[in-house]
Amino acid sequence: MDRFMRIGSVSLDHRYVLAPMAGMTDTAFRRLVKARGGCGLVVTEMVSSEGLVRGIDRTLEYAEYTEAERPVSIQIFGGDPGKMAAAAQVVEAMQADIVDVNMGCPVPKIAKHNAGCSLMREPAHAARIVRAMTAAVDIPVTVKMRAGWDDGSINAPTVARMMEDVGAAAVAVHGRTARQSYSGESDWDLIRTVAGEVAIPVLGSGDCVTPGQMVERGRTQVAGVLVGRGALRNPWIFQQAAALASGRAVPEVSLVERGRFLLEYIDLLLREGLDESRGFRHRAPGMAQARPPRPARSRERWVVNKLRALGSWYTKGLHGGSQLRTAINRAESVEALRSIISLHFLEPAGDAVA
Ligand SMILES: Cc1cc2nc3c(=O)[nH]c(=O)nc-3n(C[C@H](O)[C@H](O)[C@H](O)COP(=O)(O)O)c2cc1C
């Protein structure tokens, strides 16, 4: 069965999930992916528990989402059980569907604070964190982990069992160690072993870059499949996988559609914090008022940087992709970006397929 799965009380229409990606899975990107269909759940970028509890503006911004994205999971990171529980309460008060714990980030800045993947080196402490969270909120608490810290300490099956024991509603496993970072391959045999160890849903993560891989991996013991980089290259991947899984023709994406995606992304980013008419936005308590908008110049800079970040993935494998990437990286204004995108995607033979 390719459709439908449950995480605690939350039902998902599809078993394919947009993986959390810092700097990438912002509310604008999530909305655009969701609108294309096939994606059962979106996860925010990782959000600092400390920042959420202290009400830091920019942290809260990472956690904001709109109704169109639902169901939505907010991922938090931190190493202190009390603060993680309090942050989970903020997430619940924002009416998010799920709160997810980051136990996969290998970046030293995060890991050295006893957070991210370093929690896999201290499973008992990780369990204290998740126990404090499940006691503090009613929404499902999930955990995203790696295979382990390094080759000598692959412990995802043990950690998953411990998380289940303290009330986690699901676990997602990226089958690489922290030491590996993104080298080598995600170990899907290990992910399947984890799925055989626990009764809660296990979602697999790593190296699904085609709809065929998503469907094939989704048909093994795992309950669902997370897609990260594949979605940055091809935001239609969920829609395509859903079509493939149900025996329909896989929709092709034209160059024009690919160009329009980027233009729409720019427009949504520019409107962040300005246009309150797009429907209800979920904010943390105390943030009932709109944030003061970024000043126009810094907002433009921010959008230019966001497009560079997405462009580095989105242009991979495209005809003329490396020139396009260079042009996007050189652009200093939104106007320049718009004309580069129009030139590359909208002006050549309009019905070409990317
Ligand atoms: C740019 C980038 C940022 C990421 N940020 C996060 C994050 O904030 N939290 C997290 O749990 N994983 C994060 N990841 C890991 C992904 O969620 C995913 O597990 C990993 O990329 C493997 O899946 P993929 O091969 O489908 O990309 C990030 C990955 C990338 C490429």
Side-chain angles (χ1 to χ4, degrees), residues 100-238:
D100 185 50
V101 182
N102 182 315
M103 287 193 200
C105 185
V107 174
K109 195 171 79 178
I110 305 286
K112 83 170 179 221
H113 290 296
N114 216 356
C117 202
S118 71
L119 286 173
M120 294 197 74
R121 293 201 280 192
E122 294 178 78
H125 184 65
R128 274 195 289 280
I129 290 176
V130 173
R131 189 194 299 278
M133 292 171 66
T134 54
V137 295
D138 291 327
I139 55 172
V141 177
T142 60
V143 173
K144 178 157 179 287
M145 60 180 75
R146 282 190 175 240
W149 182 259
D150 59 21
D151 275 354
S153 57
I154 305 272
N155 60 352
T158 310
V159 177
R161 249 182 282 120
M162 293 172 75
M163 296 304 119
E164 179 177 42
D165 286 347
V166 291
V171 295
V173 183
H174 175 196
R176 287 185 176 85
T177 62
R179 197 41 60 76
Q180 269 182 296
S181 191
Y182 290 92
S183 66
E185 283 175 11
S186 180
D187 183 348
W188 279 79
D189 287 337
L190 177 78
I191 295 169
R192 286 187 277 271
T193 302
V194 176
E197 290 280 324
V198 291
I200 52 175
V202 172
L203 296 96
S205 168
D207 311 331
C208 285
V209 290
T210 65
Q213 288 167 326
M214 290 165 67
V215 173
E216 191 192 316
R217 285 172 173 161
R219 283 187 176 151
T220 58
Q221 291 107 308
V222 296
V225 173
L226 260 62
V227 182
R229 292 166 296 179
L232 302 178
R233 289 165 74 151
N234 173 20
W236 290 262
I237 196 168
F238 299 98

